[in-house]
Amino acid sequence: AKLKAHHHTSQFVAGKEELRFSGLDLQEGVIRDNLAAGVVEPAISKIKSLRFATEAAVSILRIDDMIKLNPAREQKGHAGHGH
């Protein structure tokens, strides 16, 4: 709850913008300035995850388009063979 309060304060109280970098120090059990502690990797990981997810979604959509096109070709090709 304290961390959420820090983030809220950083968004709505002038002069407290630095609180947006607040995070939890899990070893000490306190709220700390993660930027000062050098913890910036999670943001980079999130960006990479979003990029990979986007690439996966695009690939799935392309495969779906190919599957939709393929049955129409097979039906035309087998129409005169009694299947």
Side-chain angles (χ1 to χ4, degrees), residues 23-79:
L24 295 175
D25 181 342
L26 298 178
Q27 293 177 343
E28 301 293 325
V30 295
I31 295 174
R32 69 173 179 197
D33 182 348
N34 273 349
L35 187 61
V39 180
V40 292
E41 186 272 332
I44 294 168
S45 292
K46 289 177 186 177
I47 292 168
K48 286 183 180 180
S49 294
L50 285 171
R51 285 184 183 156
F52 291 139
T54 301
E55 289 175 16
V58 169
S59 296
I60 290 169
L61 291 173
R62 285 183 183 152
I63 291 169
D64 188 44
D65 287 343
M66 287 185 222
I67 291 170
K68 285 181 182 177
L69 292 175
N70 209 9
R73 291 181 190 163
E74 289 179 9
Q75 288 175 359
K76 289 179 184 177
H78 294 299

